[in-house]
């Protein structure tokens, strides 16, 4: 496999001098340990330290530490503090193990009790929302699962909208996202492996796949690349995407990001691997091939003939969004003989009425449209309609009446913009937007010959790409049979062809063997 982003970024790795050393909690004095926690956390106001006495008679001096805002205060008050302050300890129950046994027996609703012996383990548990219990006379700490706090409720995804299908999308909570996938695949072979990345942020990562269907080599390769990430912070799945993709210098995405749980479940069933990152609703799917960016899970909910037509239409729209303006430039500048006579007369008359060439017109309109689109994404929703009206007037009627551009160019740019917006995945639509300008320059320089030469170079580059060892242009080159191929799609009751991208058999293949 090609060199990944981790190997290329070794020179940018920061020194982890601010990390917590993995040293044991050596002091048995409660005051010393609490003072060390206060110094390490800068005596921050959200680090709550509550000292109290365990037991009513001759109790133990103890303290709990938690981070305000990421814990469940009701659990702490009712099932931790109240029970510990009222628990009856005998003269022999003075160790942490005795206390764990007492809490386990009397505090049944609370789970996830764990003894901690090192400082790094203590801070990791504390910052994950767990409550830390320290007892005077013991150099061990006890973590109690009290994670909670406010999180965004499950809502319809903002980017992966559908007409038919589930209306729920991922949220920023890792636990919630995992549960949303598990509710769709109730199988013990749906495995989840967790790790923590980011030397400062300590972001939790989950690798989810179906054991027996996912290719073990790809799973191992994904874990190897993730473990090699040495970044200070992981704030979104995009950080990981850049570090683990096979090729960084390409406009095409080789990893799919989605907000839909049903999309993740469908890809897991096909042998793909999902990477979940705490703090973001976007889940990464690996490996991802070019054909996959034009499929949506909703295709499986419609009739197969309709789905085939819609997939084909999406590819056509992607091609239009990439070469639309360049075809107009090449035809009107170099190859007028290819245009019908009446139409070429109309186009030439329009171009003569404008002071710019077709290339300058197209470049001007495309830049204005990109500015309006970027403003539409960033601006507040309350003024969105106003900017849309102004944008329509600027790139439409006003520009034509001012003699800056021709009416035909407005139609070409509008069709290109609509085709770009209709592309289902944003990352592949951005690729077409970037390559559109390269093709416009080629068309303005050498006409259709320049366009064809540039397209050949783009296709050759796409054929050279890999996504975790899988050819990016599969199943077109190399030719292979896969499910959900837009040109080979079959009704769901006829899908017996095995995806050759995955070495492991699918559930459908296993079912066929059993029937045989």
């Amino acid at each position: 496999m090609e060199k990944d982003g981790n190997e290329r970024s070794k020179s940018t790795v920061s020194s982890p001098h601010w990390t917590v050393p993995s040293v044991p909690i050596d002091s048995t004095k409660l005051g010393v340990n609490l003072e060390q926690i206060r110094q390490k956390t800068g005596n921050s106001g959200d680090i709550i330290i509550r000292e109290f006495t365990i037991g009513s008679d001759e109790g133990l001096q103890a303290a709990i530490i938690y981070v305000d805002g990421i814990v469940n205060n009701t659990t702490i008050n009712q099932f931790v503090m109240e029970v510990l302050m009222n628990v009856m300890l005998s003269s022999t129950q003075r160790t942490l193990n005795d206390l764990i046994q007492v809490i386990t027996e009397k505090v049944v609703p609370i789970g996830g009790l764990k003894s901690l012996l090192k400082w790094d383990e203590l801070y990791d548990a504390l910052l994950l929302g767990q409550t830390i219990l320290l007892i005077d006379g013991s150099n061990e700490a006890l973590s109690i699962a009290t994670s909670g706090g406010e999180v965004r409720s499950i809502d319809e995804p903002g980017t992966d909208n559908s007409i038919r299908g589930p209306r729920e999308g991922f949220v920023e909570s890792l636990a919630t996202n995992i549960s949303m996938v598990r509710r769709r695949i109730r199988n013990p072979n749906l495995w989840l492996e967790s790790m923590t990345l980011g030397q400062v942020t300590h972001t939790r990562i989950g690798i989810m796949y179906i054991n027996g269907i996912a290719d073990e080599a790809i799973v191992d390769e994904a874990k190897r690349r993730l473990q090699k990430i040495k970044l200070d912070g992981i704030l979104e799945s995009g950080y990981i995407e850049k570090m683990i993709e096979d090729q960084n210098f390409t406009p095409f995405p080789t990893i799919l990001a989605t907000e839909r749980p049903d999309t993740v479940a469908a890809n897991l069933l096909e042998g793909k691997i999902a990477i979940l990152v705490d703090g973001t609703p976007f889940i990464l799917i690996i490996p991802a091939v070019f054909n996959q960016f034009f499929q949506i899970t909703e295709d499986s909910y419609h009739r197969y003939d309709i789905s085939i037509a819609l997939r084909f239409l999406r590819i056509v729209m992607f091609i239009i969004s990439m070469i639309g303006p360049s075809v107009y430039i090449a035809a009107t500048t170099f190859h007028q003989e290819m245009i019908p006579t009446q139409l070429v007369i109309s186009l030439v008359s329009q171009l003569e009425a404008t002071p710019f060439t077709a290339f300058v017109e197209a470049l001007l309109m495309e830049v204005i449209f990109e500015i309006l689109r970027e403003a539409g994404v960033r601006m507040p929703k309350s003024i969105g309609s106003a900017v849309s009206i102004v944008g329509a007037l600027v790139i439409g009627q006003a520009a034509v009446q001012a003699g800056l551009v021709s009416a035909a160019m407005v139609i070409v740019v509008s069709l290109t913009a609509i085709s770009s917006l209709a592309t289902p995945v944003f990352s592949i639509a951005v690729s077409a937007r970037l390559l559109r300008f390269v093709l416009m320059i080629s068309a303005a320089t050498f006409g259709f010959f320049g366009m064809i030469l540039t397209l050949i170079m783009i296709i050759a580059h796409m054929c050279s790409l890999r996504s975790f060892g899988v050819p990016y242009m599969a199943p077109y080159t190399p030719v292979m049979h896969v499910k959900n191929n837009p040109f080979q799609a079959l009704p769901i009751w006829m899908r017996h062809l095995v995806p050759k991208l995955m070495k492991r058999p699918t559930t459908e293949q296993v079912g066929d063997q059993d029937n045989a």
Side-chain angles (χ1 to χ4, degrees), residues 3 100 171 214 269 273 388 405 408 468 480 494:
K3 184 183 293 185
I100 292 175
V171 296
L269 292 172
I273 303 165
S388 300
V405 296
F468 285 79
M480 56 183 64
M494 292 179 61

Side-chain angles (χ1 to χ4, degrees), residues 2 59 80 87 121 210 266 389 400 458 470 487 509:
E2 296 185 8
V80 178
V87 68
E121 298 174 349
I210 299 179
I389 295 172
V400 175
I458 292 174
V470 177
F487 302 110
Q509 186 189 30

Side-chain angles (χ1 to χ4, degrees), residues 187 189 210-215 265-272 481-484 492 494-515:
N187 193 299
N189 287 318
I210 299 179
N211 183 42
I213 296 180
D215 191 339
N267 281 279
L268 289 173
L269 292 172
E270 292 182 2
K272 305 292 179 56
H481 294 289
V482 297
K483 293 191 299 185
N484 299 328
I492 194 168
M494 292 179 61
R495 290 180 184 175
H496 59 278
L497 298 175
V498 180
K500 292 185 178 179
L501 293 176
M502 306 302 160
K503 296 179 180 178
R504 290 281 183 177
T506 65
T507 52
E508 295 176 6
Q509 186 189 30
V510 173
D512 293 341
Q513 293 174 352
D514 294 341
N515 295 331

Side-chain angles (χ1 to χ4, degrees), residues 85-307:
M85 296 177 69
N86 298 323
V87 68
M88 299 299 293
L89 296 176
S90 64
S91 58
T92 58
Q93 293 176 329
R94 295 292 175 181
T95 66
L96 186 63
N97 291 332
D98 296 334
L99 187 60
I100 292 175
Q101 184 178 359
V102 172
I103 294 176
T104 306
E105 293 175 354
K106 295 185 177 297
V107 191
V108 178
I110 298 180
L113 300 177
K114 184 180 179 182
S115 177
L116 306 175
L117 299 175
K118 296 182 178 179
W119 281 111
D120 59 334
E121 298 174 349
L122 185 149
Y123 286 112
D124 288 343
L126 176 66
L127 298 174
L128 284 175
Q130 300 185 13
T131 298
I132 306 300
L133 174 64
L134 289 174
I135 303 174
D136 190 27
S138 174
N139 61 347
E140 297 182 29
L142 179 67
S143 68
I144 306 172
T146 57
S147 300
E150 297 294 332
V151 295
R152 184 170 64 92
S153 60
I154 297 175
D155 197 2
E156 189 170 358
T159 56
D160 294 345
N161 296 322
S162 65
I163 298 175
R164 181 175 180 177
R167 300 299 182 190
E168 61 181 8
F170 288 120
V171 296
E172 287 74 13
S173 172
L174 178 62
T176 304
N177 294 342
I178 293 173
S179 65
M180 294 170 72
V181 178
R182 284 205 179 275
R183 280 201 294 268
R184 285 168 172 79
I185 304 178
R186 304 176 190 275
N187 193 299
N189 287 318
L190 178 61
W191 288 7
L192 175 71
E193 299 188 26
S194 303
M195 63 176 63
T196 302
L197 297 178
Q199 297 180 347
V200 176
T201 58
H202 296 277
T203 306
R204 292 181 296 163
I205 310 294
I207 307 173
M208 183 172 282
Y209 59 94
I210 299 179
N211 183 42
I213 296 180
D215 191 339
E216 295 179 359
I218 298 179
V219 175
D220 295 338
E221 179 65 18
K223 289 190 287 186
R224 186 188 69 82
R225 295 187 185 185
L226 289 172
Q227 290 169 352
K228 291 178 64 178
I229 294 178
K230 304 295 182 185
L231 292 177
D232 294 338
I234 304 292
L235 303 180
E236 214 274 339
S237 57
Y239 285 62
I240 294 177
E241 181 179 355
K242 299 185 193 66
M243 300 298 293
I244 64 174
E245 59 185 359
D246 293 58
Q247 177 62 265
N248 292 114
F249 298 100
T250 176
F252 295 98
T254 55
I255 296 176
L256 177 65
T258 180
E259 285 187 273
R260 296 184 64 87
D262 55 338
T263 300
V264 172
N267 281 279
L268 289 173
L269 292 172
E270 292 182 2
K272 305 292 179 56
I273 303 165
I275 300 177
L276 300 87
V277 181
D278 192 21
T280 176
F282 288 93
I283 309 302
L284 303 179
I285 304 294
I286 58 171
V289 296
F290 179 73
N291 181 39
Q292 192 174 351
F293 292 91
F294 300 96
Q295 300 174 3
I296 57 177
T297 309
E298 186 180 350
D299 292 341
S300 300
Y301 308 150
H302 295 295
R303 287 179 51 84
Y304 74 96
D305 49 353
I306 298 176
S307 299

